[in-house]
Amino acid sequence: MRTITLKQEMYLWAKQVKTAGHSIGFVPTMGFLHEGHLALVEEAKRDNDYVIMSIFVNPLQFGQGEDYTTYPRDEKRDKKLAEEAGVDILFMPSVDDMYKHKKSIKLMVTEKTDKLCGATRPGHFDGVVTVLTKLFHLTTPNRAYFGLKDVQQFAIVTALVEEFDFPVEIVPVDTVREPSGLAISSRNVKLTREDKQKAPALFNSLLLGKKLIIEGETDANVIIKTVRHYLDQQLGENVEVDYVEILTFPYLEDLSEVNGKVVIAVAVRFFTARLIDNIIVD
Ligand code: PAF
């Protein structure tokens, strides 16, 4: 595995590989790698000749008071895991190199942001599409891999490449879970022991929602209320449920009656970390 830190060097490597007729799979991450990231690498290796992984904690996608400075980082461990997973190029640019130009253009996501995480994280997805636009240009991938745990990010990145004609296929990858059902996330390490024990309630609440749909419940409000009630009961007073929503998948449109493919999504604010999860039900 080769580590590249300079944008220019990254671009030249990708250009050479593409000119030689090889394909590139790209796995963008913010590091602190876990099984979820490694599952993305596994898919990317299956479909492409070379795999680039980026590790970049992108300041633009963190709002004021969010956890940019305390976001977990472990460069040494990440390098080892990436190498063992078979990553060919680990791209680790600095903030200064990525954002060295004075900004005169702003990318802004105008749809799909008034719901789920977008509703409470203003500007977050603007930061995500900005960094991905740059990373796609620098790595020129044939395919880029995104976990479905962040279903809103997947929907917005799909819209980005469709609307701006990026020649890259966005490949969704299923959420990886611990045996308890808890979705694997870099932020799980921030949970206290007590909250870690409570956290599987997120997935259990989603399974409850799915069960209601399978049993024939079509009223989205009834499902939302039942899931929220379950979460409130299981998590207790010190944990705040940010949202429980049901939307169409993959377009994330509002619905009152469940029909076709839908996603049930939840976000919960523990004292030390905010966790999200979702389930897609057809
Ligand atoms: O999902 C993430 O880790 C980030 O949002 C991404 C896609 C790497 C962009 O910074």
Side-chain angles (χ1 to χ4, degrees), residues 216-240:
E217 182 58 70
T218 57
D219 187 331
N221 270 330
V222 170
I223 300 163
I224 289 171
K225 271 194 189 143
T226 313
V227 170
R228 186 177 266 274
H229 180 67
Y230 176 88
L231 281 171
D232 286 340
Q233 268 192 337
Q234 298 296 313
L235 298 174
E237 272 176 6
N238 299 328
V239 183
E240 194 188 325

Side-chain angles (χ1 to χ4, degrees), residues 117-232:
C117 297
T120 50
R121 301 188 71 188
H124 167 68
F125 288 109
D126 300 345
V128 171
V129 296
T130 303
V131 78
L132 287 175
T133 297
K134 293 166 77 76
L135 290 170
F136 287 162
H137 285 138
L138 294 168
T139 58
T140 62
N142 298 71
R143 298 173 194 84
Y145 294 78
F146 289 84
L148 278 174
K149 184 169 81 68
D150 198 337
V151 71
Q152 190 171 20
Q153 173 167 274
F154 167 72
I156 287 172
V157 175
T158 302
L160 172 74
V161 303
E162 274 173 16
E163 289 174 32
F164 289 89
D165 303 305
F166 282 87
V168 49
E169 183 191 341
I170 300 301
V171 184
V173 178
D174 284 341
T175 303
V176 180
R177 300 182 180 281
E178 292 187 359
S180 66
L182 175 64
I184 290 181
S185 156
S186 303
R187 288 190 171 97
N188 289 355
V189 292
K190 299 175 98 188
L191 292 172
T192 62
R193 208 153 54 132
E194 194 192 335
D195 286 345
K196 182 95 196 270
Q197 273 165 5
K198 289 182 181 175
L202 271 78
F203 186 53
N204 290 334
S205 76
L206 296 170
L207 291 177
L208 173 64
K210 179 178 175 176
K211 182 165 170 276
L212 290 176
I213 295 176
I214 289 170
E215 286 172 356
E217 182 58 70
T218 57
D219 187 331
N221 270 330
V222 170
I223 300 163
I224 289 171
K225 271 194 189 143
T226 313
V227 170
R228 186 177 266 274
H229 180 67
Y230 176 88
L231 281 171
D232 286 340

Side-chain angles (χ1 to χ4, degrees), residues 58-63 99 101-110 113 121-131 133-134 160 164:
N58 173 33
L60 285 198
Q61 67 189 74
F62 289 81
Y99 296 120
H101 297 290
K102 186 174 170 292
K103 275 209 240 30
S104 56
I105 297 170
K106 189 173 184 333
L107 295 187
M108 188 185 285
V109 184
T110 52
T113 48
R121 301 188 71 188
H124 167 68
F125 288 109
D126 300 345
V128 171
V129 296
T130 303
V131 78
T133 297
K134 293 166 77 76
L160 172 74
F164 289 89

